Amino acid sequence: MKNIVLIGMPGCGKSTFGKRLAKKMGRSFYDADTVLEEREARTIKDFFAESEDAFRAAETRTLAYLAELEGVVIATGGGAVKRAENMELMKRKGVVFFLDRKPEQILGNIEGDARPLLAADKQRIFKLYEERIDLYRKYADKIITNSGDFGRTLAALESYAKQIAD
């Protein structure tokens, strides 16, 4: 059974949908950012205070660990696609789903959010989307649009996951 890997922008719903999908499919769920903080005994904010490169190195170590699991649902960090190595790790035993949510929709959901790359300027979400959209599309085995209809998005994700990942 292949892993189901969710990629996409911060705030697109990777963790929310990942948890629900894992429960519906009887799989374990792993949020890569949570696993990173547990395994590294440091917060993501601490890594970013040092440098984005320090965080990205920790992220790669975490994804290498998660890539060894089988039959699980993994929500990656939004920038995991920035390193080809990360996506090679995820694709080795997994099927990658890009949860595509437009920046203007994400913006409405992250107002009180403390994401390191958006903390100083929430409008930066538009620049990040522009920088990453081609990478998300490149690495996706399937693109699922999250237009805000939770039930429809979850149903589409579940349907494709059952077809591809079993």
Side-chain angles (χ1 to χ4, degrees):
M1 195 173 3
K2 292 187 174 194
N3 293 332
I4 297 167
V5 179
L6 304 178
I7 63 172
M9 289 293 293
C12 75
K14 297 180 298 289
S15 295
T16 301
F17 286 106
K19 288 175 192 170
R20 290 294 275 285
L21 181 66
K23 186 174 182 178
K24 281 182 153 265
M25 295 182 75
R27 296 179 179 220
S28 296
F29 172 74
Y30 293 87
D31 181 296
D33 287 346
T34 301
V35 174
L36 182 153
E37 289 185 337
E38 290 169 357
R39 288 179 53 87
E40 299 281 336
R42 288 179 70 188
T43 67
I44 291 171
K45 188 175 180 178
D46 288 343
F47 275 108
F48 270 95
E50 181 181 332
S51 71
E52 184 174 348
D53 285 341
F55 168 72
R56 296 292 169 207
E59 181 176 55
T60 298
R61 290 190 297 273
T62 301
L63 294 176
Y65 163 75
L66 291 171
E68 294 305 313
L69 303 175
E70 291 187 24
V72 301
V73 177
I74 301 167
T76 67
V81 295
K82 291 178 70 172
R83 285 191 173 184
E85 176 185 3
N86 291 343
M87 297 316 301
E88 290 164 11
L89 288 165
M90 293 292 92
K91 283 182 162 283
R92 194 169 34 191
K93 290 187 190 174
V95 177
V96 177
F97 292 88
F98 166 35
L99 283 177
D100 189 9
R101 190 157 195 216
K102 302 297 178 216
E104 51 274 11
Q105 294 170 320
I106 292 170
L107 197 58
N109 285 11
I110 61 170
E111 284 309 315
D113 212 315
R115 297 166 199 264
L117 287 176
L118 302 175
D121 179 11
K122 301 273 190 256
Q123 294 294 321
R124 185 162 184 231
I125 195 82
F126 293 97
K127 185 175 189 300
L128 290 176
Y129 187 85
E130 186 178 307
E131 288 172 0
R132 297 176 181 176
I133 186 64
D134 291 338
L135 292 172
Y136 291 136
R137 289 178 179 150
K138 173 183 175 179
Y139 292 120
D141 294 307
K142 184 69 182 167
I143 299 171
I144 306 291
T145 301
N146 176 6
S147 59
D149 184 329
F150 187 87
R152 179 176 288 159
T153 303
L154 182 60
L157 183 57
E158 183 180 13
S159 173
Y160 290 119
K162 284 181 177 178
Q163 291 173 26
I164 298 173
D166 280 340

